[in-house]
Structures are given as C-alpha cells and as structure tokens.
Amino acid sequence: MIRFRTLVVLAAALAAAAACSKKGGSSAKLRSDTDSVAYVLGMNIGMNLLKMDSTINAAAVCEGIRDAVGGGTKLTTDEARDYYLRYMNYTLPEKARAYEERFLADIAKSNRSYARTTSGVTYTVSDVGDQNLVPVSDRDTVAVRCVIRTADGAVKYSSYDRGDTLRSALGDLRRGEREMLKLVGKGGRIDAWLPSAAAYGADGRAEWGIGPNATLHYEMEVVDVVKFSNRR
C-alpha cells in the first residue's frame, strides 16, 4: 500500500512543478531545465495516479495541491490520513466486491449453463469425468492442467503453454480451486469464475502477474486423482 506520507511528498513535488494552474487548462511553460524536470515529475505522478484509479478527479487533486501550498487545506493532516486509510482499506475494497458480485451474477444470469457456489464461484461443467474418482478429502491428490485469465481476458498462467501439469493435495489449493475440483472427477473439465476472495485475494500472485483483488477465470482439466483412502 502507498503510504500517506509518500503521497504528501509527491503532491508537494507536483505543486513545485506548477502542473496545476488555477485555470486548469493552460499549457505548462517550460522556460528552464527545472521547469522541464518538474513537468516530467508531474507527468509521472499523474500516470501513477491513473494506475491507482482511472476515474480520479484531476481537478480535485490540483485543488488539494494548491490548498497545501497556500496553507489553507480543508482537512488537517490527521483527518486526511484517517480518511485516506479508511478509503483504501474499507471503502475501495467494498466497491470492488460489489462490482465483482454484479459481474459474476450477470454471467450466471446471461448463461443458464452456469451455476454458483455459496462462496460465489461461478462455474459450468463441460465433462463430469469419472465420478468414482472425485477429490473430496483435503488429503486427496490431484493433477490438473489449467489456463488462468483475468477479467480482461489476459492469460496469466497456462499449463499447456508451459508444458507442465500441476500436482497438489486438494487442501493446499485455493478455496475456489478446491470447490471447482470437488465438482468433477478424473478426466473432467470445468470452466469457472473465481471471486478474488476465493482465489488470490488482496495479495495477488506477483510471479504470475495476478494483481490484488483480481477476479479470475479458470479452464481446468483434471488429469488424475489419487484418493487418500486408496493409499492406506
């Protein structure tokens, strides 16, 4: 998470760049090297802000900078910190969850082949596989091939591209993955949308390029199931 103090420092730097004029629409006049460097700094800060929130109100950002430089802010530093932390830790995640819920509900509503679990995993089974070899116990071992995509369709992991097979005890997988696998047996195939809470949550998975709070789409093939009860 970006620290509040860091934002204050960046905002001050942006103010020094004079990137926010009172008119809000005039072009920066780059009359010196320091002005040019300041403008580049302002560009970088603006692009980083867009990555945080593409709907950010640039005029409000500029107003905050001008108020801070002028010494007449509408909030105290403590009030601003508390508001920012509350927004980032509670308000923003709640908005993301509400959007995700609508997104998954619309998928199930628009395609009757999809069903939903209590945790929100939205799935359709294309092949149920061997119903005598369905992983049920957390100690059952599974071998799967899968493709994992984000909501925008970007592939983040593909067993087929890598030429490998994932092998794991059922209990070591993510909650949504466990729910999926309990619905099919060896040889089965399932497509499912996993809400972030049932996938990689707020941590994401950086090594695969999966960001925090990502809704994920899985195409999964169950290659093998070894029942724990059969190993004793």
Side-chain angles (χ1 to χ4, degrees), residues 179-201:
E179 290 184 13
M180 291 172 58
L181 287 165
K182 289 181 179 180
L183 296 168
V184 292
K186 179 179 178 179
R189 292 176 178 270
I190 183 171
D191 287 6
W193 287 93
L194 272 59
S196 59
Y200 290 94

Side-chain angles (χ1 to χ4, degrees), residues 202-222:
D203 294 332
R205 184 160 183 172
E207 63 186 288
W208 289 355
I210 296 174
N213 304 311
T215 307
L216 299 177
H217 178 249
Y218 279 68
E219 294 178 7
M220 185 172 284
E221 171 192 2
V222 183

Side-chain angles (χ1 to χ4, degrees), residues 79-97:
E79 289 172 339
R81 182 193 62 242
D82 292 345
Y83 184 89
Y84 174 77
L85 292 176
R86 184 170 63 251
Y87 179 81
M88 293 301 293
N89 292 328
Y90 299 102
T91 306
L92 196 59
E94 285 300 320
K95 287 183 177 180
R97 279 192 287 270

Side-chain angles (χ1 to χ4, degrees), residues 124-153:
T124 181
V125 175
S126 54
D127 190 337
V128 297
D130 186 344
Q131 292 300 284
N132 293 316
L133 286 175
V134 176
V136 177
S137 167
D138 282 349
R139 292 184 289 184
D140 291 345
T141 302
V142 296
V144 301
R145 297 191 185 101
C146 65
V147 178
I148 304 175
R149 296 181 175 88
T150 46
D152 61 0

Side-chain angles (χ1 to χ4, degrees), residues 43-218:
M43 284 179 58
N44 288 333
I45 293 171
M47 287 186 284
N48 285 328
L49 289 173
L50 286 175
K51 290 178 182 178
M52 293 170 57
D53 184 354
S54 61
T55 64
I56 197 163
N57 185 338
V61 173
C62 293
E63 183 178 358
I65 293 170
R66 288 195 300 268
D67 288 351
V69 173
T73 58
K74 298 175 177 62
L75 301 171
T76 66
T77 301
D78 287 343
E79 289 172 339
R81 182 193 62 242
D82 292 345
Y83 184 89
Y84 174 77
L85 292 176
R86 184 170 63 251
Y87 179 81
M88 293 301 293
N89 292 328
Y90 299 102
T91 306
L92 196 59
E94 285 300 320
K95 287 183 177 180
R97 279 192 287 270
Y99 174 83
E100 182 179 63
E101 171 58 27
R102 290 196 301 272
F103 176 77
L104 295 175
D106 286 345
I107 289 174
K109 188 180 296 184
S110 62
N111 190 331
R112 293 185 179 181
S113 67
Y114 279 88
R116 301 189 72 189
T117 68
T118 55
S119 70
V121 173
T122 305
Y123 69 92
T124 181
V125 175
S126 54
D127 190 337
V128 297
D130 186 344
Q131 292 300 284
N132 293 316
L133 286 175
V134 176
V136 177
S137 167
D138 282 349
R139 292 184 289 184
D140 291 345
T141 302
V142 296
V144 301
R145 297 191 185 101
C146 65
V147 178
I148 304 175
R149 296 181 175 88
T150 46
D152 61 0
V155 175
K156 296 301 180 180
Y157 178 87
S158 173
S159 298
Y160 304 98
D161 290 345
R162 295 182 178 221
D164 62 10
T165 300
L166 294 175
R167 299 178 185 276
S168 174
L170 188 66
D172 292 336
L173 298 175
R174 299 285 168 168
R175 182 176 65 177
E177 294 168 343
R178 296 196 301 270
E179 290 184 13
M180 291 172 58
L181 287 165
K182 289 181 179 180
L183 296 168
V184 292
K186 179 179 178 179
R189 292 176 178 270
I190 183 171
D191 287 6
W193 287 93
L194 272 59
S196 59
Y200 290 94
D203 294 332
R205 184 160 183 172
E207 63 186 288
W208 289 355
I210 296 174
N213 304 311
T215 307
L216 299 177
H217 178 249
Y218 279 68

